[in-house]
Amino acid sequence: MNEQPGHEPQLDTSKDSPWETALAQLDEAAELMGLAPGAHEILRAPKRSLSVSVPFRMDDGSTRVCQGYRVHHNVTRGPAKGGIRYHPNVDLDEVKALAMWMTWKCAVARIPFGGAKGGVAVDPKGLSRAELERMTRRYASEILPFIGPEKDIPAPDMNTDEDIMAWIMDTYSMNSGYSVPGVVTGKPVAIGGSRGRSGATSRGVMYMIFSTLKSLGIAPEEVSVAIQGYGKVGGHAAQLLHDAGCRVIAVSDVDGGLYRERGLDPEAINRHKKEAGVVAGFPGADPVSNEELLELECDVLVPAAIEGVITVKNADRVRARVVCEAANGPITFEGDKMLSERGVFVVPDILANSGGVTVSYFEWVQDIQAYFWSEEDVNDRLRQIMERAFDEVHTLAAEKHLTMRQAAHWIGVGRVAEAHLTRGLFP
Ligand code: GLU
């Protein structure tokens, strides 16, 4: 970019790519808070981006090559931190956006990490388990110089899980000659994972919905919830919210969704999904498309799938009172403006889904100390951190007449900028 940050609009936000959304959010926060142009310029660009080619052998003996990435957006407050996703649409711009959001997310939660993200452009459903392992180990080898417990700690994200983290941890450890559990988080408990990590993002989403409802004077038992995405985050959030007394009226996965006004039972849906492979076809509920789900009459809408699902094209049809972003970047910059003009209370991703990275931080701390906590301890500390973050964002939003997203970015960007200023510019 040769434009001066903080001046004229620098990008066409109507294009709605995650990177454009992320930059527009940063630019807006920088302007609102009067961020120094130098700091703004530093924060607009990722610190380093690695692009790797990942060749691996298929079961039939042929060779396949996928494109992989690992981006460190910022490491001023601590080691880079963020997940790895496997998805056919992964590209450098998406990974850059996700890395930038990790930087703000860690800062908002006051976690001493910077922001990173990685990804491989692949559809893992098209790979056998052995192919998935070989691809993962080769990708891990390619990014090996980038990662380590002191510099960059990967974790699960879309289509990656604790088995994949175990293979990355093993690949790194075999190269070191000893076990290095702190190189990844979200790994199995048997090799140094944290209790409570697998459900942490969903649990955090629940805490943020409850904090929101409390601030609006509404009891959880009174609300209806629609959840887009029935994977690790959305599926578990449905269960937790149902158990807490909310009425979960709609859920969906990539193949479509379900709606029942009286409420759905996630346990029964899980049983159905186990057999059918999808939520669609669950008896006693009406089918609903992913687009229709976003427009249902409900109190709380939880987009827990992919980026850019609420845009200028459908934001005026969202009827929820609260939108809690369990996914990263589900609402585009302009779509968000339309929601806030209509008074929809949006809990932004960098606050709403920070439960995952918060328990990742706990996992890293436990690995380094070789001392492990109970699940109760983990959940309790998670709740404290997230409720404090919500209160800080909510208070600033009220004070400065900002949306929750603007306030969260103000706080996140502000803490990172303060760290830069405190350390000084090298050399
Ligand atoms: N992938 C998750 C996220 O987007 C978790 C990252 C982590 O635990 O490092 O926040």
Side-chain angles (χ1 to χ4, degrees):
M1 297 294 302
N2 42 22
E3 296 96 325
Q4 270 298 308
H7 295 166
E8 288 308 296
Q10 291 146 18
L11 27 97
D12 177 6
T13 49
S14 62
K15 286 206 195 100
D16 290 348
S17 82
W19 180 234
E20 282 158 337
T21 298
L23 281 180
Q25 291 164 348
L26 167 61
D27 291 347
E28 183 187 52
E31 196 182 325
L32 287 168
M33 67 199 284
L35 185 66
H40 183 190
E41 196 153 10
I42 290 172
L43 296 177
R44 281 188 116 242
K47 180 177 178 64
R48 44 176 96 96
S49 306
L50 179 65
S51 176
V52 296
S53 148
V54 186
F56 60 101
R57 198 162 316 283
M58 301 292 282
D59 292 341
D60 66 4
S62 64
T63 302
R64 184 163 167 197
V65 184
C66 291
Q67 198 59 39
Y69 308 92
R70 185 76 188 166
V71 171
H72 297 170
H73 170 257
N74 191 280
V75 296
T76 305
R77 298 180 60 260
K81 186 83 190 80
I84 289 171
R85 70 169 51 177
Y86 291 168
H87 193 276
N89 296 347
V90 163
D91 62 19
L92 186 57
D93 268 8
E94 183 192 46
V95 178
K96 277 161 60 181
L98 291 161
M100 182 185 273
W101 287 325
M102 287 308 302
T103 302
W104 315 142
K105 198 185 294 186
C106 292
V108 169
R110 294 182 182 271
I111 286 168
F113 284 145
K117 205 77 172 198
V120 179
V122 67
D123 180 5
K125 288 187 202 88
L127 299 179
S128 72
R129 199 170 160 74
E131 289 164 348
L132 187 67
E133 177 170 353
R134 285 194 290 272
M135 188 202 75
T136 298
R137 287 185 180 276
R138 183 59 188 252
Y139 168 68
S141 303
E142 296 298 340
I143 65 165
L144 215 65
F146 246 46
I147 62 173
E150 295 91 25
K151 47 184 180 178
D152 175 13
I153 306 120
D157 196 78
M158 199 183 287
N159 294 329
T160 54
D161 59 14
E162 62 171 32
D163 293 346
I164 289 171
M165 295 308 116
W167 293 329
I168 297 175
M169 181 269 199
D170 185 64
T171 303
Y172 188 91
S173 299
M174 291 316 286
N175 273 275
S176 306
Y178 51 91
S179 288
V180 188
V183 67
V184 290
T185 58
K187 57 191 171 293
V189 171
I191 54 169
S194 176
R195 292 194 169 77
R197 174 62 185 86
S198 60
T201 309
S202 317
R203 183 169 287 278
V205 166
M206 176 180 72
Y207 292 147
M208 293 301 88
I209 290 173
F210 289 176
S211 291
T212 302
L213 295 176
K214 195 170 156 200
S215 78
L216 298 171
I218 306 171
E221 298 78 31
E222 289 168 22
V223 299
S224 57
V225 186
I227 303 176
Q228 185 190 56
Y230 205 74
K232 279 177 299 190
V233 178
H236 196 68
Q239 185 73 58
L240 288 172
L241 290 165
H242 170 82
D243 293 349
C246 303
R247 192 158 43 93
V248 179
I249 59 162
V251 299
S252 68
D253 58 27
V254 274
D255 296 295
L258 309 168
Y259 170 71
R260 186 161 72 175
E261 224 248 305
R262 273 187 297 135
L264 296 156
D265 173 11
E267 235 166 85
I269 297 172
N270 293 343
R271 281 196 298 274
H272 166 81
K273 187 166 172 148
K274 218 171 182 178
E275 275 182 18
V278 291
V279 298
F282 177 74
D286 297 327
V288 66
S289 73
N290 266 296
E291 295 74 35
E292 287 162 349
L293 182 141
L294 298 171
E295 300 169 15
L296 287 174
E297 178 91 54
C298 63
D299 298 303
V300 182
L301 174 64
V302 183
I306 49 167
E307 297 105 40
V309 294
I310 298 175
T311 70
V312 285
K313 295 196 186 88
N314 61 354
D316 57 339
R317 296 197 296 272
V318 170
R319 284 186 282 172
R321 184 162 174 194
V322 173
V323 181
C324 187
E325 292 187 313
N328 290 308
I331 308 177
T332 63
F333 187 76
E334 298 297 346
D336 192 50
K337 295 283 159 250
M338 287 170 63
L339 292 183
S340 66
E341 270 158 30
R342 293 179 41 233
V344 180
F345 189 104
V346 177
V347 191
D349 46 7
I350 59 170
L351 173 65
N353 69 34
S354 61
V357 75
T358 299
V359 176
S360 276
Y361 167 56
F362 297 162
E363 181 171 330
W364 178 79
V365 167
Q366 292 171 76
D367 288 337
I368 284 175
Q369 299 186 338
Y371 179 76
F372 293 88
W373 312 350
S374 69
E375 184 161 352
E376 211 184 1
D377 254 356
V378 168
N379 292 345
D380 200 43
R381 289 180 203 224
L382 170 65
R383 191 177 46 71
Q384 286 175 37
I385 286 188
M386 293 200 69
E387 286 180 353
R388 178 186 62 193
F390 182 94
D391 287 343
E392 288 177 345
V393 172
H394 194 244
T395 304
L396 185 73
E399 244 174 58
K400 308 269 184 202
H401 307 289
L402 305 169
T403 65
M404 288 290 282
R405 189 188 310 282
Q406 289 167 334
H409 274 83
W410 179 313
I411 288 174
V413 172
R415 286 181 185 153
V416 179
E418 187 193 350
H420 271 282
L421 284 173
T422 308
R423 285 177 56 162
L425 184 61
F426 181 85

